[in-house]
Amino acid sequence: MHRRRHGRSGAVRNRLAAGRSPRRAIRAAIVCDLRAPVAAVTPIQGDRNMTILQADVREQNEPGDWEAGLSARDGYPVFALILIFVLIAVTAVAIGRIDTTMGMAYVAGATLGPALLFWGIAYAVTIRHARRAWQVGSFAGVMLVALLYCTAVMGTASAAAKRDLAMLADIRFDAEGMAILPANADRGPASRVFIGHFAALNTLLRERRQRLEKSGLGSIVDPQALSVNPALLRDCARFGRARPENDAATAQVAALIAALPGKLERAGIEPILRTQLLTGMTRGATGSQLKIRAAGARIDAMLEEAEALCTVLAWHRWTPRARAFVFTSIVDMQEYDRHVILYNGLIQQDQAADAEMRQAAERDRTRIRRAMN
């Protein structure tokens, strides 16, 4: 340093001796002094030192990892997650009840789809600036909430469907085959179908019973009733005229039962329960049709025997005694006995069929209760 200061003083004296002004002499000496290090370094070190120097400058200008962490954007993942959850809740309220009868795929799309859409928008806007752990964790959290929502929707729908179908376990039948519905029968779409079905069925059965009673089918073997109302023996052909009406009523009942599966399929029942219900009904459809037609055939046979009994009793060769007829003609008695045996046998068959129907209904109720538990 001493030699460089001395050199600068000598340079100034030389320039002053050359006739330059003091100010110009000092300025020229300073410029030469500033250029001297560059001139001294460049020829000696060459391009290698320049490269190292430039790398050092860049390294000093570039921020470190901790500095980059201070200035980097974090994506606000917590705020984004809260906003996504709020949007999912608002969407669930706005949509209301999801039609679970469309199947599991539809419910999954209706619940997972909006959640995935909201997360995708949030990712494009802000979450992509967050750390990788936040990106993966936010996606997993949103999907977990959506899956829980989907499970809750399906579980609620399944419980409602079971409660709906459980109404079938509370249906009773009287001795005449009329359905007795519980007080709180309307529990959902399936129960409403059965309410309408049994109401129509009861109407058909009631109308047929009234026509048969009007024809005197139940009074034709009652001596007291015939004594009080002898007009019942004037038109024995009415029993024959009642047979086509009975056939029409049987066909109406069969058509009503055959239409029940289609009504249930359009009722909006849960797919799994609907399949189980329709499978059971399809399995028993053939037997039900046979039983209905067998019951109609028994009534036709009873009407035929009633007409024959009416014809014998219309000759009035008998007198009532308690609950029996006392015939004055052996031929009439034999004819009456032959037809009354057939008539009573048909009544017993009908009663046995009604008893079997009630037992089958009880078995169905038991199966329904087990399936709902």
Side-chain angles (χ1 to χ4, degrees), residues 288-355:
S288 298
Q289 296 291 332
L290 292 176
K291 291 177 181 179
I292 292 168
R293 299 191 184 281
R298 282 195 301 271
I299 294 175
D300 282 344
M302 290 170 64
L303 289 170
E304 184 178 356
E305 297 302 325
E307 185 176 2
L309 290 170
C310 179
T311 302
V312 173
L313 295 173
W315 295 334
H316 293 285
R317 294 191 287 246
W318 57 272
T319 56
R321 181 177 297 176
R323 305 288 297 178
F325 293 98
V326 179
F327 288 93
T328 59
S329 170
I330 297 296
V331 175
D332 291 356
M333 184 181 67
Q334 291 176 345
E335 188 70 10
Y336 176 84
D337 288 343
R338 184 170 68 87
H339 289 290
V340 81
I341 289 173
L342 296 175
Y343 180 85
N344 289 334
L346 292 170
I347 291 178
Q348 291 174 0
Q349 292 178 19
D350 203 54
Q351 291 174 345
D354 290 342

Side-chain angles (χ1 to χ4, degrees), residues 197 201 204-205 208 246-261 285-286 288-294 296:
H197 169 76
L201 184 61
L204 291 176
L205 295 177
R208 182 169 68 177
N246 176 65
D247 294 340
T250 300
Q252 288 178 336
V253 173
L256 184 64
I257 294 177
L260 181 58
T286 303
S288 298
Q289 296 291 332
L290 292 176
K291 291 177 181 179
I292 292 168
R293 299 191 184 281

Side-chain angles (χ1 to χ4, degrees), residues 56-131:
D56 291 342
V57 172
R58 283 196 304 269
E59 185 177 354
Q60 293 175 2
N61 291 334
E62 291 179 357
D65 292 341
W66 66 275
E67 293 175 314
L70 292 176
S71 60
R73 299 174 60 185
D74 63 0
Y76 308 104
V78 176
F79 175 77
L81 277 177
I82 294 174
L83 183 59
I84 291 172
F85 293 150
V86 171
L87 289 175
I88 292 175
V90 171
T91 304
V93 174
I95 293 176
R97 182 182 179 275
I98 297 177
D99 188 6
T100 54
T101 61
M102 299 296 291
M104 184 64 184
Y106 176 82
V107 176
T111 52
L112 299 179
L116 185 60
L117 175 64
F118 295 148
W119 183 86
I121 295 174
Y123 177 83
V125 173
T126 181
I127 294 180
R128 64 189 180 90
H129 299 294
R131 295 178 181 178

Side-chain angles (χ1 to χ4, degrees), residues 108-348:
T111 52
L112 299 179
L116 185 60
L117 175 64
F118 295 148
W119 183 86
I121 295 174
Y123 177 83
V125 173
T126 181
I127 294 180
R128 64 189 180 90
H129 299 294
R131 295 178 181 178
R132 180 61 59 85
W134 271 109
Q135 296 175 9
V136 176
S138 63
F139 178 79
V142 170
M143 290 298 102
L144 177 61
V145 171
L147 284 173
L148 292 176
Y149 176 46
C150 178
T151 303
V153 169
M154 293 300 296
T156 302
S158 178
K162 289 182 178 180
R163 184 172 60 253
D164 185 14
L165 293 179
M167 187 273 294
L168 297 176
D170 298 330
I171 298 176
R172 298 290 186 273
F173 294 91
D174 61 14
E176 297 178 350
M178 306 286 285
I180 303 174
L181 300 179
N184 58 339
D186 190 354
R187 303 174 189 176
S191 59
R192 282 190 286 272
V193 170
F194 282 104
I195 290 172
H197 169 76
F198 284 115
L201 184 61
N202 286 349
T203 299
L204 291 176
L205 295 177
R206 189 180 299 109
E207 291 175 352
R208 182 169 68 177
R209 183 182 63 185
Q210 291 172 353
R211 286 193 298 268
L212 294 176
E213 290 177 353
K214 186 178 179 180
S215 69
L217 181 63
S219 303
I220 196 63
V221 293
D222 187 354
Q224 300 298 327
L226 294 177
S227 299
V228 174
N229 188 11
L232 293 174
L233 299 176
R234 292 176 186 170
D235 183 16
C236 295
R238 70 181 181 275
F239 293 107
R241 293 193 299 270
R243 291 173 63 185
E245 296 178 352
N246 176 65
D247 294 340
T250 300
Q252 288 178 336
V253 173
L256 184 64
I257 294 177
L260 181 58
K263 294 179 181 178
L264 288 172
E265 193 168 1
R266 298 186 297 269
I269 306 174
E270 293 301 312
I272 297 178
L273 296 178
R274 179 179 60 198
T275 301
Q276 295 175 351
L277 183 62
L278 293 178
T279 300
M281 295 190 66
T282 303
R283 212 176 273 164
T286 303
S288 298
Q289 296 291 332
L290 292 176
K291 291 177 181 179
I292 292 168
R293 299 191 184 281
R298 282 195 301 271
I299 294 175
D300 282 344
M302 290 170 64
L303 289 170
E304 184 178 356
E305 297 302 325
E307 185 176 2
L309 290 170
C310 179
T311 302
V312 173
L313 295 173
W315 295 334
H316 293 285
R317 294 191 287 246
W318 57 272
T319 56
R321 181 177 297 176
R323 305 288 297 178
F325 293 98
V326 179
F327 288 93
T328 59
S329 170
I330 297 296
V331 175
D332 291 356
M333 184 181 67
Q334 291 176 345
E335 188 70 10
Y336 176 84
D337 288 343
R338 184 170 68 87
H339 289 290
V340 81
I341 289 173
L342 296 175
Y343 180 85
N344 289 334
L346 292 170
I347 291 178
Q348 291 174 0

